[in-house]
Amino acid sequence: MAVLRRRARGGQGGGAVRDVLDDPLDAAQERRVRAVLALGGVPQTDLPDGVQQVRLRLLERAASGREAPRDVSAWAAVVASNLAMDWHRAKKRQERLGERLASLRQTEHPSGEDSSLLSLAVARGLDELPDAQRQVLVLRFYGDLPVRDIAAELGIPEGTVKSRLHTAVRALRARLHEDEVV
């Protein structure tokens, strides 16, 4: 915390002492973080956000009572590298989701009217599900993520994901039968 705080005298000729949070990254460290992010493939437009994320993580570390890293510059570079990898993973996930949705749109259905009714019924059924069930259902069947990845993304056990999926599918199936769509 000593690295992140400095004592400053407040007021004119004042004797009041207060803590002032300094920027946890100096100019050279910020340039290094930007370079690591850029070399990691993060677009120029996202670099300021990446630098802010590194600052935030350093401040969170200090706020949690942990010691400041011995070499802030090296620590910040590692965090920036991890952020660049996270950015690429998120981009790939978005691309896969986009491809999956595009392939669903291209699939030919026997009857356009039947397809529209089914889509409307599924959308209504999804709206009626509790948020937690809808979330895992969408990630599994629309996002095409395996149970393991859903559990990791949501920070819940795989068994909980499976249970929510089972309950959601059963409720959605019942809703579609009630509406006599299937």
Side-chain angles (χ1 to χ4, degrees):
M1 194 73 155
V3 171
L4 299 179
R5 293 191 181 267
R6 77 168 180 216
R7 297 279 189 191
R9 298 259 177 221
Q12 297 197 341
V17 177
R18 60 186 171 91
D19 282 337
V20 178
L21 274 178
D22 287 334
D23 188 344
L25 296 176
D26 64 29
Q29 292 164 337
E30 182 177 332
R31 283 192 302 274
R32 185 174 187 184
V33 166
R34 282 180 175 275
V36 169
L37 290 168
L39 290 170
V42 175
Q44 282 294 123
T45 56
D46 291 340
L47 291 182
D49 290 337
V51 172
Q52 287 301 93
Q53 281 293 321
V54 172
R55 278 191 178 99
L56 178 64
R57 291 194 184 170
L58 190 56
L59 290 171
E60 286 172 342
R61 180 184 174 111
S64 71
R66 293 186 297 176
E67 275 185 42
R70 286 182 217 185
D71 184 351
V72 174
S73 186
W75 181 89
V78 169
V79 171
S81 176
N82 290 338
L83 287 172
M85 286 190 293
D86 291 345
W87 184 87
H88 282 289
R89 285 187 196 115
K91 183 179 174 192
K92 284 182 182 177
R93 252 192 319 271
Q94 287 288 25
E95 288 171 356
R96 283 195 314 265
L97 180 58
E99 289 168 3
R100 174 88 169 129
L101 291 174
S103 71
L104 289 173
R105 284 188 207 113
Q106 293 172 356
T107 306
E108 290 295 322
H109 295 285
S111 163
E113 186 176 319
D114 289 344
S115 174
S116 296
L117 288 175
L118 180 60
S119 295
L120 184 59
V122 168
R124 284 184 183 154
L126 284 172
D127 285 343
E128 292 175 3
L129 291 174
D131 290 340
Q133 291 177 9
R134 182 178 337 108
Q135 185 179 37
V136 296
L137 192 74
V138 168
L139 289 172
R140 177 67 189 105
F141 295 109
Y142 289 94
D144 200 26
L145 292 176
V147 170
R148 178 185 68 251
D149 291 352
I150 295 169
E153 284 292 320
L154 300 179
I156 58 176
E158 287 184 35
T160 303
V161 173
K162 291 175 185 177
S163 173
R164 288 179 185 174
L165 274 172
H166 175 77
T167 305
V169 168
R170 194 174 65 220
L172 189 57
R173 186 177 292 134
R175 169 62 192 222
L176 294 175
H177 284 296
E178 281 176 19
D179 291 346
E180 297 179 357
V181 177
V182 290

